[in-house]
Amino acid sequence: MSVVLVEQDGPVGILRLNRPEVLNALNSAVMEALADQLTRWDRDPAVRVVILTGNDKAFAAGADIAEMAERTPVEMLQSAQITRWEAIRQFSKPLIAAVSGWALGGGMELAMLCDLIVASETARFGQPEIRLGVMPGAGGTQRLTKIVGKMRAMDLVLTGRHITAEEALQWGLVNRVVPVEQYWEEALKLARSLAAGPPLALALAKEAVLFSLDSTVEDGLKFERKVFALLFASEDRREGMAAFLEKRAPQFRGR
Ligand code: CAA
């Protein structure tokens, strides 16, 4: 059985982590499968949005501790893992995390790499690496701090405590929290609505928001102005504006 199940629901690609016996711990095979499939789907115009999910009990309980336990520093530094995280980061289309149960350590970092998070009420988030004698190593000190601010990041990173979906919602770490029976439908509904959107504008809007994390406001505004103007070259912006004026639904084709 594959460690990541790959499915497609029309324009929505679905990646389902599938190591339930270890709460979807992220080993090399999982990260390789995720990076490879996202790289493939990035080039495939038939896929417009991707949902990354686990099962009701666990999104992912972090990096695979059994795999990590005997690693040397040099192996950690040279591991292909870094390029795999990078491949996920570079995915240009909307990426939604549908999170239920545990999202810890690398699992929480993976969810934070996504653009939107739909969580079930049972979701639990945390960066417990400190309890293993290490610290977050895939964005838990950087992306997390950008999302929730210094004090909250310190709270999670230094104590290793878990927070509930409700607290994560209050902190702005997740977008929606729904009962466990509904999180998958909610994520799918969100994915389908984005999939009906203009692909080029979605990709550039995503890039511009992410650009703001690493740039000054001045540089970000320059970038925004340019990509905004660039979209006026697309057929989809003609279609979007014409459809509005003609009072009909637009048909976006990604051109
Ligand atoms: N790696 C490997 N195996 C894991 C795992 C992980 N991260 N998390 C859980 N498992 C395994 C357990 O060893 C156990 O296996 P066995 O049945 O063979 O004993 C199985 O999954 C079920 O786990 P538990 O029995 O522990 O389940 P629980 O309900 O009692 O506890 C839990 C759940 C609180 C999530 C607990 O499993 C736990 O604390 N897991 C580790 C979480 C963690 O520390 N994550 C950070 C990893 S480091 C990291 O991610 C680095 C980074 O930044 C990239």
Side-chain angles (χ1 to χ4, degrees):
M1 196 60 153
S2 173
V3 292
V4 176
L5 304 179
V6 179
E7 300 160 35
Q8 209 173 315
D9 178 325
V12 179
I14 298 163
L15 293 173
R16 210 178 282 281
L17 303 177
N18 188 37
R19 299 186 73 211
E21 68 287 0
V22 284
L23 305 179
N24 288 333
L26 304 168
N27 65 4
S28 305
V30 170
M31 295 310 294
E32 187 177 356
L34 292 179
D36 285 355
Q37 191 57 44
L38 286 173
T39 304
R40 227 167 282 138
W41 275 341
D42 214 23
R43 292 191 294 257
D44 179 356
V47 171
R48 293 190 173 190
V49 179
V50 171
I51 306 178
L52 179 53
T53 195
N55 54 51
D56 289 356
K57 205 168 158 210
F59 176 72
D64 189 317
I65 299 170
E67 187 183 76
M68 236 174 7
E70 297 305 324
R71 286 265 166 92
T72 67
V74 173
E75 282 168 352
M76 289 306 284
L77 204 59
Q78 292 178 339
S79 124
Q81 216 74 326
I82 295 154
T83 49
R84 290 171 189 144
W85 284 90
E86 201 46 34
I88 299 169
R89 190 172 77 90
Q90 284 177 7
F91 184 63
S92 67
K93 304 173 187 185
L95 184 56
I96 299 170
V99 177
S100 184
W102 301 111
L104 301 178
M108 175 164 161
E109 292 170 321
L110 186 59
M112 287 192 291
L113 255 193
C114 297
D115 305 309
L116 294 153
I117 302 179
V118 175
S120 90
E121 284 169 350
T122 62
R124 295 290 177 272
F125 297 86
Q127 297 289 167
E129 293 90 339
I130 206 82
R131 298 179 181 175
L132 300 171
V134 287
M135 56 175 276
T141 65
Q142 303 301 302
R143 250 184 293 277
L144 174 62
T145 309
K146 296 275 187 194
I147 297 170
V148 302
K150 174 188 150 184
M151 294 304 177
R152 286 170 167 168
M154 287 290 188
D155 182 356
L156 292 195
V157 171
L158 300 188
T159 70
R161 78 178 176 98
H162 306 154
I163 58 169
T164 62
E166 200 47 50
E167 202 168 1
L169 184 66
Q170 279 170 23
W171 287 14
L173 186 61
V174 306
N175 298 89
R176 296 175 178 50
V177 176
V178 294
V180 64
E181 306 78 34
Q182 287 167 27
Y183 80 100
W184 176 247
E185 275 310 311
E186 187 70 22
L188 202 53
K189 194 169 83 184
L190 178 61
R192 285 179 179 148
S193 77
L194 293 181
L200 291 170
L202 283 165
L204 290 180
K206 167 171 173 166
E207 192 179 345
V209 172
L210 292 177
F211 192 91
S212 78
L213 299 179
D214 297 320
S215 72
T216 61
V217 174
E218 181 70 20
D219 289 344
L221 287 171
K222 277 187 204 148
F223 180 75
E224 183 188 72
R225 219 170 295 136
K226 283 181 187 146
V227 290
F228 176 67
L230 181 62
L231 285 171
F232 279 69
S234 71
E235 286 177 22
D236 281 350
R237 81 93 195 180
R238 272 185 198 290
E239 167 63 6
M241 293 186 186
F244 176 82
L245 295 172
E246 292 161 17
K247 301 188 189 308
R248 60 175 174 82
Q251 291 296 322
F252 293 120
R253 301 197 302 171
R255 294 188 199 151

